[in-house]
Amino acid sequence: MEGTVVSDERFPLVSILIPNYNYVKYVAQAVDSAVAQTYPNVEVVVSDNCSTDGAWELLRERYATEPRVRLYRNETNVGMAGNFDRVFELARGRYLICLSSDDFFFPVHVERLMERFARDPGLDVVYSDAYFALENGDVYTRRSLPGQFPVDYADARDELVEEFTRVCPVCYPCALFKREALLAPGIRELGADEAAGDWEVIIRLALAGARFAYVAQPGMAIRIHADQFSGDAYHRTGRNVLDFVGYVERYMDHPEFVRRMRGRESGVATLLTALVTNAATLNDGSSPFDAQQHARFAAAQRRLNERARVYEPARVRESTVSVLIESAGAVRPLLRAVDSVAAQTFPNWEVVVVDHGAIPLEPILRAHRVWGRTSYVRMPTMQTPGAARNLALRMFRGEYLAVLDPDNRFAPDHLMRAVDAIERSGAPASLAAARLVVEQTDGMGSAGEPLGETAAFGGEERDVLRLVVAQTLRLDQVVFYRGLLEHVGLFNEGVGLGDDWEFLVRLARGTRFVPTGAAGVELTARIGLVVQRLGAMIGQYVSLVDAIYHAYPADPGLAAERVQHRAAVVAAIASWQQATSDPNGVAAFMAVLGGRPAPAPLAPVLQPA
């Protein structure tokens, strides 16, 4: 049957593709939901795979005269993968979306996804979240997967990393594809009857460099029922694990996998372990796998972990440094920080911004020259710094990481010196010295007049050892290899202050830092610590010191320093408002918190020539 195609460049044709076999109980709701889309230009292509339960007869009776529906029936049963291929062959739309015949769309699903394509035509895939529904179609919960993202985004993360380190978050009914991306050679050629074929398609698209966007609002429902091919039985029997290890084996040596997963291989091994454990849990502790399959899993994990142990600092110049910025404050300081990244003499960098402040930053950042090299998401509510930074850790693409507080700035040669030091020494982390610049502000958060700066401080190996005593370093001073995250872990999301210090303490354990020998970072403090997180939470600082001391024991020599440092901090905080009322007092106060001697009087700030 030939359906009606609307020709309108404002609304490109979207093909909704429904392969069906023996789902007479569900297929009508699937087709009805496709026809009911609010997007004005859809065709619904249904390919029946020789159903024996009356589904074909139902389809003809209900939709033979519906102009938007095209019905086809295979001459013989061609299998699940063959029937999927058939609907894709029949599609005429510029955009394609595949709906399983036991699932259903909400009316705005296609419209919402197409709106995202309209805003960014360079995307290849836009997908949404989903609900789960009972067999009778009643929606009962929102789908929750470890790979789910909390907010909308466009091209903000490497989907290949997500597909191999978290449970696959993209499934066909959630995703709208640009035709040329999905039907490109090598993307959809799958084995017969693969239940997880959509998983591998997403992997192949990610390997090919496709651009993804995500709409967090669910747009469809996945029906859970006893006959579901990829449902409970798929996980209970361990078929999902066998599919995943197959993908690992097939793509582990792909050049893009090697490049983009370098330093993350143990995360892939960890996911494989979790999938195997979950399969046993679903079977009351009894593994569904035989000894040969367990040996296969162990072999894949061994290869992954062996790769994870290989560190190649000689490649650092070819690598990208990701600069992570979490911003919840004023715009002007953030733009200064971003400008300092844009001015780097090392050319291979990207900016990762997690925005969780009162003013949305996207329009401002879009106008900045770094936007084309920026991954950005906006959270709808204020987060702790650790939570915002952990989200950034799911977004970065670089092989090396730097963290920049929006109040601070990098010197133009900071990343280049870091790369030089890492290449020269073979260490996985570099350490720069810093200067403190004291500013006056109008109280509204605008970066104000610089009042003076200290001489360079920090940046020595002893500063790393003394992190268990005081915050002798700021995270901004460090550039480190992303593979260290597999051992260090994430930021502490449960604290509003000091997550960066606690992270540095963990990073310093067993990590070799090489000093760059230069002041690469400009730290900012304002008179009265106005509109700065430290000033707003100064009452928690002693508790932070106590928590660090409790969590990370020190040797006897450093333990004595701890006693002295804590006493100095308590005394300084007792009069912090008075102490920070003038520029030299601010510098002295910050030196106490950093466990450093009081600085010499501030020097004038040297402006760039």
Side-chain angles (χ1 to χ4, degrees), residues 253-311:
D253 296 317
H254 190 288
E256 281 297 294
F257 183 101
V258 173
R259 181 180 70 85
R260 288 152 64 181
M261 301 302 295
R262 187 177 286 111
R264 292 166 159 145
E265 299 92 344
S266 61
V268 184
T270 298
L271 176 58
L272 179 54
T273 297
L275 294 175
V276 172
T277 301
N278 184 64
T281 301
L282 293 174
N283 290 276
D284 297 325
S286 176
S287 174
F289 308 113
D290 59 30
Q292 185 175 6
Q293 289 167 330
H294 278 291
R296 181 185 177 190
F297 304 151
Q301 291 168 322
R302 185 164 53 251
R303 285 194 65 197
L304 290 164
N305 287 323
E306 286 171 354
R307 283 193 185 179
R309 287 191 288 270
V310 175
Y311 173 55

Side-chain angles (χ1 to χ4, degrees), residues 155-404:
D155 201 27
R157 66 182 190 181
D158 189 333
E159 300 294 329
L160 184 69
V161 175
E162 293 288 322
E163 295 303 310
F164 278 101
T165 57
R166 295 172 182 265
V167 175
C168 173
V170 187
C171 63
Y172 270 154
C174 295
L176 183 64
F177 299 88
K178 188 177 286 181
R179 180 188 185 92
E180 58 263 34
L182 185 60
L183 300 186
I187 298 298
R188 293 206 62 263
E189 289 77 3
L190 302 173
D193 288 336
E194 284 211 48
D198 50 351
W199 195 349
E200 184 160 19
V201 165
I202 298 302
I203 290 171
R204 292 180 179 182
L205 283 166
L207 284 168
R211 294 183 59 208
F212 289 74
Y214 172 65
V215 177
Q217 179 64 34
M220 55 83 56
I222 299 169
R223 192 189 308 263
I224 305 300
H225 58 93
D227 299 326
Q228 187 181 27
F229 191 82
S230 60
D232 182 67
Y234 176 65
H235 295 85
R236 190 176 296 278
T237 61
R239 174 71 184 276
N240 65 318
V241 185
L242 297 174
D243 283 334
F244 179 70
V245 76
Y247 302 149
V248 172
E249 292 165 341
R250 275 201 288 280
Y251 298 110
M252 191 188 301
D253 296 317
H254 190 288
E256 281 297 294
F257 183 101
V258 173
R259 181 180 70 85
R260 288 152 64 181
M261 301 302 295
R262 187 177 286 111
R264 292 166 159 145
E265 299 92 344
S266 61
V268 184
T270 298
L271 176 58
L272 179 54
T273 297
L275 294 175
V276 172
T277 301
N278 184 64
T281 301
L282 293 174
N283 290 276
D284 297 325
S286 176
S287 174
F289 308 113
D290 59 30
Q292 185 175 6
Q293 289 167 330
H294 278 291
R296 181 185 177 190
F297 304 151
Q301 291 168 322
R302 185 164 53 251
R303 285 194 65 197
L304 290 164
N305 287 323
E306 286 171 354
R307 283 193 185 179
R309 287 191 288 270
V310 175
Y311 173 55
E312 303 175 272
R315 297 183 58 264
V316 63
R317 290 187 183 277
E318 308 164 19
S319 303
T320 297
V321 179
S322 297
V323 181
L324 278 52
I325 304 175
E326 60 87 16
S327 179
V331 173
R332 190 174 168 193
L334 169 71
L335 291 178
R336 290 194 319 180
V338 171
D339 285 341
S340 78
V341 180
Q344 292 301 298
T345 56
F346 180 72
N348 304 332
W349 51 263
E350 69 160 359
V351 176
V352 178
V353 177
V354 175
D355 168 17
H356 58 120
I359 301 173
L361 299 174
E362 182 172 358
I364 299 166
L365 290 174
R366 276 188 177 275
H368 199 286
R369 64 189 184 279
V370 305
W371 180 253
R373 301 169 70 173
T374 300
S375 294
Y376 170 90
V377 295
R378 173 163 175 79
M379 298 299 293
T381 58
M382 186 80 77
Q383 308 292 303
T384 64
R389 288 176 175 134
N390 284 341
L391 189 59
L393 290 180
R394 291 186 58 188
M395 297 165 56
F396 77 95
R397 292 174 170 86
E399 200 166 329
Y400 289 82
L401 291 176
V403 176
L404 181 58

Side-chain angles (χ1 to χ4, degrees), residues 445-457:
S446 295
E449 176 189 0
L451 303 176
E453 68 177 5
T454 64
F457 60 85

Side-chain angles (χ1 to χ4, degrees), residues 357-598:
I359 301 173
L361 299 174
E362 182 172 358
I364 299 166
L365 290 174
R366 276 188 177 275
H368 199 286
R369 64 189 184 279
V370 305
W371 180 253
R373 301 169 70 173
T374 300
S375 294
Y376 170 90
V377 295
R378 173 163 175 79
M379 298 299 293
T381 58
M382 186 80 77
Q383 308 292 303
T384 64
R389 288 176 175 134
N390 284 341
L391 189 59
L393 290 180
R394 291 186 58 188
M395 297 165 56
F396 77 95
R397 292 174 170 86
E399 200 166 329
Y400 289 82
L401 291 176
V403 176
L404 181 58
D405 188 286
D407 279 333
N408 302 331
R409 286 180 279 187
F410 289 157
D413 61 352
H414 174 57
L415 296 184
M416 182 64 80
R417 287 181 177 274
V419 165
D420 287 344
I422 288 169
E423 182 182 54
R424 181 177 65 252
S425 67
S430 70
L431 173 62
R435 287 189 178 89
L436 179 72
V437 174
V438 179
E439 288 184 345
Q440 181 66 271
T441 179
D442 59 8
M444 300 300 293
S446 295
E449 176 189 0
L451 303 176
E453 68 177 5
T454 64
F457 60 85
E460 300 176 1
E461 293 183 33
R462 174 163 170 75
D463 296 314
V464 178
L465 297 174
R466 294 187 65 247
L467 279 167
V468 293
V469 175
Q471 193 171 5
T472 51
L473 301 172
R474 297 291 294 273
L475 193 51
D476 312 63
Q477 297 170 246
V478 175
V479 175
F480 64 96
Y481 175 55
R482 71 184 177 202
L484 296 175
L485 290 171
E486 299 296 331
H487 310 289
V488 174
L490 303 179
F491 290 91
N492 185 345
E493 299 187 5
V495 297
L497 184 70
D499 64 292
D500 50 346
W501 179 14
E502 193 269 342
F503 180 86
L504 269 174
V505 172
R506 283 184 278 128
L507 185 65
R509 301 173 80 183
T511 299
R512 180 188 171 202
F513 288 77
V514 57
T516 66
V521 180
E522 181 182 287
L523 307 176
T524 298
R526 302 192 182 103
I527 297 295
L529 305 182
V530 173
V531 292
Q532 292 191 281
R533 186 174 288 133
L534 175 61
M537 306 187 73
I538 194 70
Q540 299 181 22
Y541 199 85
V542 175
S543 296
L544 168 64
V545 172
D546 290 340
I548 295 287
Y549 289 1
H550 177 75
Y552 302 101
D555 62 44
L558 293 178
E561 282 195 50
R562 281 180 163 184
V563 174
Q564 297 172 358
H565 176 67
R566 187 183 188 282
V569 168
V570 170
I573 289 177
S575 58
W576 75 273
Q577 290 174 311
Q578 180 180 355
T580 61
S581 62
D582 69 85
N584 286 298
V586 172
F589 180 77
M590 297 303 293
V592 170
L593 299 192
R596 300 188 305 275

